[in-house]
Amino acid sequence: MILTQINLIFFLCLPIFSIFSASCYHLLDPLTPFELTQVQTLVKNYFSLPPQNVSFHYVGLDEPEKSTVVSWQSSSGNQEILFRRAFVIVRVSSKKTHEIVIDLLKNLVLRDEVYDGYGYPLQNFAEQLAADKLARSYAPFIAAIERRNLKLEEVVCSTFTVGWFGEEKSSRLVKVMCYYMDGTINLYMRPIEGITVTVDLDDMKIVGFRDRVMVPVPKAEGTDYRESVERKSSSDSNVKSMAGEKQVGPGFTLDGYIVRWADWELHVSFDMRAGLIISLASIYDQEKGEYRSVLYRGFVSELFVPYMDLTEEWYYRTFFDAGDYGFGLCAVPLEASRDCPENAMFMDGYITSRDGTPGLMPNVVCVFERYAGDIMWRHTENEIPGQGIREVRPEVSLVVRMVSTVGNYDYIVDWEFKLTGAIKVTVGMTGLLEVRGSIYTHKDQIQEEVYGTILAENTIGTHHDHFLIFNLDVDVDGDANSFIKTTLETARSTGNSSPRRSYWRASSKTAKTEADARIQLGSGATELLVVNPNKKTKVGNFVGYRLIPGAVIGPLLSDDDYAQIRGAFSKYNLWVTPYNKTEKWAAGLYTDQSRGDDDLATWSLRNREIENKDIVLWYTVGFHHAPSQEDFPIMPTLSRSFELRPTNFFERNPVLKAKLSQEIIGPHANLSASFQ
Amino acid sequence: MILTQINLIFFLCLPIFSIFSASCYHLLDPLTPFELTQVQTLVKNYFSLPPQNVSFHYVGLDEPEKSTVVSWQSSSGNQEILFRRAFVIVRVSSKKTHEIVIDLLKNLVLRDEVYDGYGYPLQNFAEQLAADKLARSYAPFIAAIERRNLKLEEVVCSTFTVGWFGEEKSSRLVKVMCYYMDGTINLYMRPIEGITVTVDLDDMKIVGFRDRVMVPVPKAEGTDYRESVERKSSSDSNVKSMAGEKQVGPGFTLDGYIVRWADWELHVSFDMRAGLIISLASIYDQEKGEYRSVLYRGFVSELFVPYMDLTEEWYYRTFFDAGDYGFGLCAVPLEASRDCPENAMFMDGYITSRDGTPGLMPNVVCVFERYAGDIMWRHTENEIPGQGIREVRPEVSLVVRMVSTVGNYDYIVDWEFKLTGAIKVTVGMTGLLEVRGSIYTHKDQIQEEVYGTILAENTIGTHHDHFLIFNLDVDVDGDANSFIKTTLETARSTGNSSPRRSYWRASSKTAKTEADARIQLGSGATELLVVNPNKKTKVGNFVGYRLIPGAVIGPLLSDDDYAQIRGAFSKYNLWVTPYNKTEKWAAGLYTDQSRGDDDLATWSLRNREIENKDIVLWYTVGFHHAPSQEDFPIMPTLSRSFELRPTNFFERNPVLKAKLSQEIIGPHANLSASFQ
């Protein structure tokens, strides 16, 4: 959960700025290094305080209204940029959170508002590092480490947000929890249990210390996951694998932040909080001869990760990874042939440090064309005498990927665009579990609730959840859309008209308001459809896109649990709201110690009208994770997906005419697809 | 649903037989062409009837008892084959179904039993062809075609099984339904509605004819899906794609029907009814230095496809694709670079014709190593000062694939074996919808129930379901296994010990009997675990494998509907039974006109004990399909998956030691993985 990305390359912006030529400058492009420096300068001058008294917590693009973007876009993007603003969150020495809007074109601070609600902005790396350092130099902490016969130089600490449990007053606290290396770099498998150091981040002072209990630190042996670590081969059996890939291409183009591939065009951006943002995804309709909008914007709005351990060192672990730590801030550089295939192209991102200095995050997004051996459509026809018909179109898709390593966990987020018009979103989870040190070395010894599975000696893999909520601002062939819930329901055959006794029919209901739309999936058979009620196909169906869930889960915390109050978005698998520029973050803008009073669940209580409006879907991909020994000492990726699939959006199968190039016919030629 | 695979290459067996040398002869290998001919000869001699009076409906391996296979296997397969039997189903002129067991080693008929229960065996191609021909030469049928101003030479017919709707007496009937080409080869998009010809297959006579209603045949325009058909390019926009793949390897070996890849070893077989059969899948445990069993056998046991249209020509369409038509019989040859990647290897299958002559089905299974750009595990570690740690292992897997084209639908079945020990099974559905001709050309005209979606002028895509049930004879580290249902349930925090009010805990219950085990998934959070209760990991967890469902659906037909009585297996997503050699087919051995009296649901009523027994899991992958215009005139693939994932089966992550070969480090080198 804690990040000390000290190996980022900070730099002055000008040399990099040169790559952003006017021609690839888009209204939705993330702030350039030049602009980030401009923000830094303006904010510093505005406050006239010593640099250490102004702490930057977020700098990002303050997006224009959607109507501005759409009209700008429709002029083929050749219009002058007349709107370019930054949104900034800083804390100043008076312990106030300021929300600042900057006009970058006019080079001035447009607005400065002090936020006086509950919750705090996301932590920057510098203050996390400082808190860790403070703890490690604190005499009682050092004594506690000595009492455990541990070497201080092998101790690594992390700052954890503290959650909220009904306290009336709050200050900006974190708990510092520590781990032990001494023979491994897999610190997460070696928690030092029992010691809690509480730090006030604003004052950067220790305000609490507790050494409650001594528990063995799990052993280092077998926890290191590096390839470079020498290991005895446990077998020299014939289990060798050789798989290779060499992909030609790429078949896509990057033009600034615009990606074009096959019939798709989309804008790929990066934000300190959200990470990867997909905007303005539209698909060229071969039959209509025009681009048609699908998704105005899509991004991970929040990640809620509550742990299920009630003990003192664990109960508060109810993290909001995006709001507390920054899903973009925690993004990691990706490497070809490892994180992404050899044929991938990469995009950089920029973040800011505590004092507002921009920093490069190289290769933070990769884009690649995927061929996984799958079939897009096929048919073998043996019915027609004398004709052996076999038509097959292999599946090729475009993947846009980000990986965010929020402390121990690595989240892989893939946006996959298919030739069929479908958008498949996959979340993969890998990295390291958050484990609890324990006295137990065998399951048979355990007679109490340990809140997890014993994974190795002295090591409990704690039960926990992950709820990733996606903000999906669909614009299905325009921005006026309606959400239709279609229930497949059993119907009885009436009269004696048919020997059949039953069938199912599709009963559709257009959601008038937010309350009509939200849904807990699971037991019933329901189809989730977004249509443009103003546009029909030739045979009269509303043009639409369907959201096809994968495995769905709901929350298991009680409604009155503080964590659940704060993560109330997890109550429904899907919410639908009218578009509102300020409603971006499902658990609120300030999640650290939030109280659930300004979040999706609260906004949605207004029960606004959503029929034939510009609507936003909020869909949650969830995991209940009861770890197993295979997750130790590092987890194999666990994935879940959902898909947005065209449904009467096209007049017919849009890839009917997809062709295989002639050159692939030979048995050893490359596969390639071309589209006319 | 109807098959006239007239382009199969029939041949004499001896030239092919030579490839089955003694060294690759396995107890579970499918019958060789030599053996199939041996069966044909023995059965013909046995009945002493003219060849046309003995009709073959199934010939396949009569498997040895599991104990025989396991002990043979444990002797490294070097023992002599002492058990080699064939199971044969024939119909003779007396209209009786005979079940015959042949001892291939002793060259004699061991058993001949007349089956006198309900239902009939799967149709062979010859009788389907004959029934179609009969209908097309029937004077009232010809008159009906003329009345519609259609050309008889453009009419193609198919035989449909008739289902069962409470009739007391039955004979072996099919309904012949016809389609129109005349400008397209996509016959399924041009149904000739209203005419039903009923044929008695045993007498090969027309026993019913009805011309009920005249409905326009949907137009041919835009329905052809062949690449070779000239089309006007609707656009010459820049929507071109280039994706290529070139995979080195393969990294697996085929030794007869045994596939070895990385730590996996499995037997791949082919059966006329089941199609692809995976047997004896076991994984080499690097830490233990031995192969450990996972899956004794897995195959598609049945496909239940009920349509939801109650009209006279449609109500009975409640197909059992495996039992009525043969999932293996309908398998199609696969092609490299199209159905499977360029680096795939292929295996042939054998079927028999009406008179028992063996026929080659070339390339009916493909095996390939997949690299799709995914990540097996990764972590970036930024916590440790001065060390930038990034470890990534790309995901490479082995796929075994079959495609079965049951008339209009193409089912793609993938068994994917992962280095992590997981087995992922994916079902893809593509091909052509079964559509109904209709008077309607626009949705606004429709005021009655049409049981589907209007897809094009005069074309209704009928609502229907697909339930594919897998027979999964798991042997988790041996054959004595137990099934554990673990419910994740909300627990309240007791007392004032924690600021938290709730958490969830895992409550596990071992199923004692079949009734304890079967489950309707959906609303609750349940984990489905198979363990070997006699084996524990070092820290005391039972070794196990978990079944991870994908999206789950249940039936929507009423329990008292005849179709649902026959397809009762769809009632639960998962059933568990004790292993019983005779219980292979979830809807019974004879599904054509079956009455649901000898199927999984019936067997399971005995509520047998399943704890610490050799157990079989039956898991259903289901689809409710409400078609959309994108499915016309050919459907993009729709996929669903489930996974068997090791859960405390290994002491730790089994791919922790997976290495990247040094040669991949260069940016343009191939990716390859090796395991020590």
Side-chain angles (χ1 to χ4, degrees):
Chain A
M1 300 297 146
I2 16 49
L3 288 155
T4 61
Q5 305 221 353
I6 50 179
N7 56 346
L8 292 173
I9 307 149
F10 284 85
F11 59 91
L12 287 175
C13 53
L14 287 170
I16 299 298
F17 181 61
S18 62
I19 68 163
F20 297 92
S21 67
S23 69
C24 67
Y25 196 56
H26 188 285
L27 267 188
L28 294 182
D29 284 354
L31 298 182
T32 64
F34 181 85
E35 290 171 328
L36 292 169
T37 305
Q38 190 186 354
V39 166
Q40 181 186 35
T41 308
L42 280 166
V43 170
K44 279 185 173 171
N45 293 344
Y46 174 80
F47 283 108
S48 301
L49 286 168
Q52 67 272 23
N53 290 357
V54 181
S55 175
F56 285 75
H57 294 270
Y58 175 80
V59 185
L61 179 71
D62 184 33
E63 288 180 23
E65 286 295 331
K66 193 166 177 175
S67 54
T68 309
V69 176
V70 171
S71 77
W72 182 84
Q73 173 91 349
S74 67
S75 69
S76 308
N78 289 326
Q79 273 187 324
E80 204 184 338
I81 303 264
L82 295 172
F83 190 103
R84 192 70 180 161
R85 291 181 182 172
F87 180 67
V88 185
I89 298 174
V90 296
R91 296 273 293 173
V92 297
S93 42
S94 53
K95 297 191 186 178
K96 298 283 190 202
T97 298
H98 289 252
E99 298 179 358
I100 296 167
V101 176
I102 285 172
D103 189 319
L104 292 159
L105 300 176
K106 296 188 181 140
N107 200 38
L108 53 82
V109 172
L110 266 187
R111 206 183 75 197
D112 166 32
E113 278 175 23
V114 172
Y115 172 73
D116 58 5
Y118 297 118
Y120 300 105
L122 58 86
Q123 299 177 12
N124 58 46
F125 292 152
E127 61 192 355
Q128 294 181 55
L129 270 177
D132 295 347
K133 200 172 159 191
L134 202 62
R136 292 177 74 256
S137 58
Y138 186 59
F141 177 82
I142 294 169
I145 293 298
E146 279 170 1
R147 197 153 48 243
R148 286 167 172 79
N149 290 317
L150 303 177
K151 294 169 252 178
L152 189 63
E153 67 274 19
E154 297 288 342
V155 173
V156 176
C157 299
S158 293
T159 62
F160 283 11
T161 49
V162 298
W164 175 69
F165 295 90
E167 303 87 357
E168 288 200 7
K169 287 195 171 182
S170 73
S171 52
R172 200 155 164 263
L173 304 180
V174 288
K175 297 198 182 185
V176 180
M177 307 303 292
C178 299
Y179 299 90
Y180 201 53
M181 295 199 293
D182 198 26
T184 184
I185 51 84
N186 193 345
L187 54 115
Y188 297 102
M189 294 306 113
R190 307 200 73 194
I192 302 170
E193 292 290 336
I195 310 172
T196 309
V197 184
T198 308
V199 175
D200 184 310
L201 285 184
D202 285 331
D203 294 334
M204 201 46 77
K205 272 191 192 153
I206 290 173
V207 296
F209 177 82
R210 180 94 191 271
D211 183 2
R212 186 179 68 91
V213 64
M214 296 245 291
V215 173
V217 172
K219 61 188 176 185
E221 189 198 332
T223 63
D224 209 320
Y225 50 84
R226 285 173 299 175
E227 194 178 351
S228 56
V229 175
E230 201 71 40
R231 277 194 203 83
K232 201 167 65 67
S233 173
S234 56
S235 153
D236 57 353
S237 71
N238 63 345
V239 284
K240 288 194 186 301
S241 167
M242 283 287 293
E245 53 82 41
K246 189 177 180 316
Q247 306 208 343
V248 298
F252 58 89
T253 59
L254 297 186
D255 175 13
Y257 291 91
I258 300 278
V259 180
R260 290 189 186 88
W261 173 77
D263 288 331
W264 281 103
E265 179 180 291
L266 48 130
H267 183 273
V268 173
S269 181
F270 181 80
D271 176 78
M272 271 175 65
R273 170 138 179 190
L276 175 60
I277 299 177
I278 303 293
S279 302
L280 292 166
S282 59
I283 189 163
Y284 188 82
D285 185 325
Q286 297 282 351
E287 208 160 319
K288 289 200 164 41
E290 61 181 29
Y291 275 95
R292 298 170 69 197
S293 60
V294 177
L295 187 70
Y296 180 75
R297 186 168 42 211
F299 61 94
V300 175
S301 170
E302 193 52 84
L303 297 89
F304 173 40
V305 188
Y307 283 79
M308 297 300 143
D309 185 325
L310 302 190
T311 56
E312 183 173 327
E313 294 80 12
W314 279 80
Y315 77 89
Y316 63 87
R317 301 189 192 189
T318 52
F319 304 114
F320 292 88
D321 283 348
D324 292 0
Y325 298 103
F327 203 48
L329 208 54
C330 299
V332 297
L334 303 175
E335 198 178 348
S337 292
R338 297 192 174 212
D339 290 300
C340 312
E342 190 196 343
N343 69 340
M345 290 182 74
F346 295 86
M347 298 170 83
D348 296 336
Y350 296 90
I351 57 170
T352 56
S353 65
R354 183 185 185 283
D355 71 353
T357 306
L360 171 69
M361 304 266 277
N363 295 352
V364 83
V365 170
C366 75
V367 183
F368 60 93
E369 213 172 19
R370 159 141 65 195
Y371 170 65
D374 291 324
I375 296 171
M376 184 163 70
W377 62 259
R378 84 173 311 287
H379 185 61
T380 299
E381 186 53 72
N382 287 319
E383 282 301 308
I384 305 170
Q387 293 195 46
I389 294 165
R390 175 170 56 194
E391 293 285 329
V392 185
R393 300 295 179 278
E395 173 102 297
V396 181
S397 62
L398 184 85
V399 178
V400 183
R401 172 173 294 168
M402 176 189 71
V403 175
S404 186
T405 302
V406 190
N408 51 317
Y409 262 103
D410 295 57
Y411 296 95
I412 304 161
V413 179
D414 283 357
W415 291 80
E416 184 175 5
F417 295 85
K418 300 195 176 191
L419 297 172
T420 56
I423 303 174
K424 186 175 180 184
V425 180
T426 302
V427 175
M429 297 196 321
T430 174
L432 307 164
L433 289 171
E434 212 159 280
V435 304
R436 183 155 73 96
S438 157
I439 55 169
Y440 301 116
T441 55
H442 194 280
K443 194 182 178 188
D444 294 349
Q445 299 159 353
I446 304 174
Q447 303 297 324
E448 59 169 347
E449 176 69 90
V450 294
Y451 310 108
T453 311
I454 183 165
L455 301 181
E457 289 183 12
N458 308 116
T459 308
I460 304 288
T462 307
H463 294 156
H464 60 282
D465 296 326
H466 301 260
F467 295 98
L468 281 91
I469 185 164
F470 283 84
N471 178 308
L472 301 167
D473 183 353
V474 287
D475 275 9
V476 175
D477 211 13
D479 63 3
N481 286 178
S482 293
F483 175 72
I484 297 177
K485 243 189 244 185
T486 299
T487 308
L488 309 186
E489 55 189 25
T490 303
R492 294 295 290 186
S493 163
T494 51
N496 294 319
S497 57
S498 171
R500 277 277 281 276
R501 291 179 174 161
S502 69
Y503 65 107
W504 59 256
R505 65 180 162 214
S507 170
S508 293
K509 205 171 164 193
T510 301
K512 306 279 181 202
T513 67
E514 293 173 275
D516 293 341
R518 56 185 172 240
I519 184 165
Q520 290 170 331
L521 297 165
S523 41
T526 309
E527 305 209 324
L528 312 170
L529 180 66
V530 177
V531 300
N532 184 325
N534 313 297
K535 294 193 180 169
K536 287 182 176 180
T537 60
K538 285 177 196 157
V539 294
N541 293 305
F542 288 125
V543 305
Y545 257 75
R546 210 147 53 98
L547 191 153
I548 303 180
V552 290
I553 69 157
L556 290 168
L557 292 177
S558 301
D559 282 343
D560 69 343
D561 197 295
Y562 294 108
Q564 186 59 31
I565 291 167
R566 300 168 66 221
F569 73 78
S570 61
K571 177 94 176 172
Y572 296 94
N573 302 100
L574 181 75
W575 308 68
V576 182
T577 60
Y579 171 79
N580 180 325
K581 194 188 151 185
T582 67
E583 296 178 4
K584 288 177 76 169
W585 312 109
L589 177 58
Y590 300 101
T591 60
D592 179 15
Q593 297 184 50
S594 66
R595 302 190 180 187
D597 54 358
D598 187 15
D599 59 3
L600 174 58
T602 314
W603 308 327
S604 211
L605 284 176
R606 282 178 278 167
N607 200 20
R608 292 160 289 186
E609 292 189 357
I610 54 171
E611 191 180 5
N612 201 6
K613 303 263 188 219
D614 184 5
I615 57 175
V616 177
L617 268 55
W618 306 75
Y619 180 74
T620 295
V621 176
F623 302 80
H624 295 304
H625 193 178
S628 71
Q629 287 183 240
E630 285 78 6
D631 296 332
F632 177 89
I634 191 160
M635 283 175 55
T637 305
L638 189 63
S639 294
R640 291 234 163 121
S641 300
F642 68 93
E643 196 172 314
L644 294 167
R645 196 170 167 114
T647 302
N648 305 319
F649 184 82
F650 295 106
E651 292 289 339
R652 59 184 59 238
N653 181 340
V655 287
L656 177 64
K657 296 182 182 179
K659 276 193 172 184
L660 284 167
S661 297
Q662 289 311 307
E663 63 263 36
I664 79 118
I665 303 299
H668 294 294
N670 283 330
L671 175 72
S672 66
S674 73
F675 303 88
Q676 60 165 10
Chain B
M1 299 300 145
I2 15 50
L3 288 157
T4 62
Q5 305 217 355
I6 52 181
N7 56 344
L8 292 174
I9 306 150
F10 284 85
F11 58 91
L12 287 175
C13 55
L14 287 169
I16 299 297
F17 179 62
S18 61
I19 68 166
F20 297 92
S21 67
S23 68
C24 68
Y25 198 54
H26 189 284
L27 266 189
L28 293 182
D29 284 354
L31 298 182
T32 65
F34 182 84
E35 290 171 328
L36 292 170
T37 305
Q38 189 185 355
V39 167
Q40 182 186 33
T41 307
L42 280 166
V43 171
K44 279 184 174 173
N45 293 344
Y46 175 79
F47 283 107
S48 301
L49 286 169
Q52 66 272 24
N53 290 358
V54 180
S55 175
F56 284 76
H57 293 269
Y58 175 80
V59 184
L61 179 72
D62 183 34
E63 288 178 23
E65 286 295 331
K66 194 165 176 175
S67 55
T68 309
V69 176
V70 171
S71 78
W72 183 85
Q73 172 92 347
S74 67
S75 69
S76 309
N78 289 325
Q79 272 188 322
E80 204 184 338
I81 303 266
L82 295 173
F83 189 103
R84 191 70 179 162
R85 292 183 181 172
F87 180 67
V88 184
I89 298 175
V90 296
R91 296 273 294 173
V92 296
S93 41
S94 54
K95 297 191 186 179
K96 298 282 189 203
T97 299
H98 289 252
E99 296 180 358
I100 296 167
V101 176
I102 286 171
D103 190 318
L104 293 159
L105 300 176
K106 297 188 181 143
N107 200 38
L108 54 82
V109 172
L110 266 188
R111 205 183 76 197
D112 165 32
E113 277 175 25
V114 172
Y115 172 74
D116 58 6
Y118 297 118
Y120 301 105
L122 57 86
Q123 300 176 13
N124 57 45
F125 292 152
E127 61 192 353
Q128 293 180 55
L129 269 177
D132 296 347
K133 200 173 159 191
L134 202 60
R136 292 177 75 257
S137 58
Y138 187 59
F141 177 81
I142 294 169
I145 294 299
E146 280 171 0
R147 199 156 45 244
R148 284 166 174 79
N149 291 316
L150 303 177
K151 293 170 254 179
L152 189 64
E153 67 274 18
E154 296 288 339
V155 173
V156 176
C157 299
S158 293
T159 61
F160 284 10
T161 49
V162 298
W164 175 69
F165 296 90
E167 303 87 356
E168 287 201 8
K169 289 198 168 179
S170 74
S171 52
R172 200 157 163 262
L173 305 180
V174 289
K175 297 198 182 186
V176 180
M177 307 303 292
C178 300
Y179 300 90
Y180 200 53
M181 296 199 292
D182 197 26
T184 185
I185 51 85
N186 193 343
L187 55 114
Y188 297 103
M189 293 306 113
R190 306 199 75 193
I192 302 170
E193 292 289 337
I195 309 172
T196 309
V197 184
T198 308
V199 175
D200 184 309
L201 284 184
D202 285 332
D203 294 335
M204 201 47 78
K205 273 191 192 154
I206 290 174
V207 296
F209 177 81
R210 180 93 191 273
D211 183 2
R212 186 178 68 90
V213 63
M214 297 246 288
V215 173
V217 173
K219 61 189 176 186
E221 190 198 331
T223 63
D224 209 320
Y225 50 85
R226 285 173 298 175
E227 195 178 352
S228 57
V229 174
E230 201 70 40
R231 277 194 203 84
K232 202 168 66 67
S233 174
S234 57
S235 153
D236 57 353
S237 71
N238 62 346
V239 284
K240 289 194 185 302
S241 167
M242 283 286 294
E245 52 83 41
K246 190 176 181 317
Q247 306 207 342
V248 298
F252 58 90
T253 59
L254 297 186
D255 176 12
Y257 291 91
I258 300 279
V259 180
R260 291 190 185 86
W261 174 77
D263 288 332
W264 282 102
E265 180 180 293
L266 48 131
H267 183 273
V268 174
S269 182
F270 181 81
D271 176 77
M272 270 176 65
R273 171 139 179 188
L276 174 61
I277 299 176
I278 303 294
S279 301
L280 291 166
S282 60
I283 188 162
Y284 188 82
D285 185 324
Q286 297 282 350
E287 209 160 318
K288 290 200 163 45
E290 62 183 28
Y291 275 94
R292 298 170 69 196
S293 61
V294 177
L295 187 70
Y296 179 74
R297 186 169 41 212
F299 61 94
V300 174
S301 170
E302 193 50 84
L303 297 89
F304 174 40
V305 188
Y307 283 79
M308 298 300 144
D309 185 325
L310 301 191
T311 57
E312 183 173 326
E313 293 79 13
W314 279 80
Y315 76 89
Y316 63 86
R317 301 190 191 187
T318 52
F319 305 114
F320 292 88
D321 282 350
D324 293 358
Y325 299 101
F327 204 49
L329 208 53
C330 298
V332 296
L334 304 175
E335 199 179 347
S337 294
R338 297 194 174 209
D339 289 300
C340 313
E342 190 196 345
N343 69 340
M345 290 182 74
F346 295 86
M347 297 171 82
D348 296 336
Y350 296 90
I351 57 169
T352 55
S353 65
R354 183 185 186 282
D355 71 352
T357 308
L360 171 69
M361 304 266 279
N363 294 353
V364 83
V365 170
C366 75
V367 184
F368 60 93
E369 213 173 19
R370 160 141 64 195
Y371 169 64
D374 291 324
I375 298 170
M376 184 163 70
W377 62 259
R378 82 174 310 289
H379 186 60
T380 300
E381 186 54 73
N382 286 318
E383 284 299 308
I384 305 168
Q387 293 197 44
I389 293 164
R390 175 170 55 194
E391 292 286 330
V392 185
R393 299 296 178 277
E395 173 101 299
V396 181
S397 62
L398 184 85
V399 178
V400 184
R401 171 175 295 168
M402 177 191 69
V403 175
S404 185
T405 302
V406 189
N408 51 317
Y409 263 102
D410 295 56
Y411 296 95
I412 305 160
V413 179
D414 283 357
W415 290 81
E416 185 175 5
F417 295 85
K418 300 194 178 194
L419 297 172
T420 55
I423 303 174
K424 185 176 181 183
V425 180
T426 302
V427 176
M429 297 195 322
T430 175
L432 307 165
L433 289 172
E434 211 160 281
V435 304
R436 183 156 73 95
S438 157
I439 55 171
Y440 302 115
T441 55
H442 193 280
K443 194 183 178 187
D444 293 351
Q445 300 160 353
I446 304 173
Q447 302 297 325
E448 57 169 348
E449 176 69 90
V450 294
Y451 309 109
T453 310
I454 184 164
L455 301 180
E457 290 184 10
N458 308 116
T459 309
I460 304 289
T462 307
H463 294 156
H464 60 281
D465 296 327
H466 302 260
F467 295 98
L468 280 90
I469 184 163
F470 284 83
N471 179 308
L472 302 166
D473 183 354
V474 287
D475 274 9
V476 175
D477 212 12
D479 64 3
N481 287 179
S482 293
F483 175 73
I484 297 177
K485 241 190 246 186
T486 300
T487 307
L488 310 186
E489 56 189 23
T490 304
R492 296 292 293 184
S493 163
T494 51
N496 294 319
S497 56
S498 170
R500 277 278 281 275
R501 292 179 173 160
S502 69
Y503 66 107
W504 58 256
R505 66 180 161 214
S507 169
S508 293
K509 202 171 167 192
T510 302
K512 306 279 182 203
T513 68
E514 292 173 274
D516 294 342
R518 57 184 172 242
I519 184 166
Q520 290 170 330
L521 298 165
S523 40
T526 309
E527 303 208 326
L528 312 170
L529 181 66
V530 177
V531 299
N532 185 325
N534 314 297
K535 295 194 180 170
K536 287 181 176 181
T537 60
K538 285 177 195 155
V539 295
N541 294 305
F542 288 126
V543 305
Y545 257 75
R546 210 147 51 98
L547 191 153
I548 303 179
V552 290
I553 70 158
L556 289 168
L557 291 177
S558 301
D559 282 344
D560 69 344
D561 197 297
Y562 293 107
Q564 186 58 32
I565 289 167
R566 302 168 65 221
F569 72 78
S570 60
K571 177 94 176 173
Y572 296 94
N573 302 101
L574 182 75
W575 307 69
V576 182
T577 60
Y579 171 79
N580 179 325
K581 193 189 153 186
T582 68
E583 296 178 4
K584 287 178 75 170
W585 312 108
L589 178 56
Y590 301 100
T591 60
D592 180 14
Q593 298 184 50
S594 66
R595 302 189 180 187
D597 54 358
D598 187 15
D599 60 2
L600 174 58
T602 314
W603 308 327
S604 211
L605 285 175
R606 282 179 277 166
N607 201 18
R608 293 161 287 187
E609 290 188 0
I610 55 170
E611 190 179 5
N612 202 6
K613 303 265 186 215
D614 184 5
I615 58 175
V616 177
L617 269 55
W618 306 75
Y619 180 74
T620 295
V621 176
F623 301 80
H624 294 304
H625 193 178
S628 71
Q629 288 183 237
E630 285 78 6
D631 296 333
F632 177 89
I634 191 160
M635 285 175 54
T637 306
L638 188 63
S639 293
R640 293 234 162 118
S641 300
F642 69 92
E643 198 173 312
L644 294 167
R645 197 171 165 112
T647 302
N648 304 320
F649 184 83
F650 295 106
E651 292 290 339
R652 59 184 58 241
N653 181 339
V655 286
L656 176 64
K657 296 182 183 180
K659 275 193 174 184
L660 284 166
S661 297
Q662 290 311 307
E663 63 263 35
I664 78 119
I665 302 298
H668 295 293
N670 283 330
L671 174 73
S672 67
S674 74
F675 304 88
Q676 61 166 4

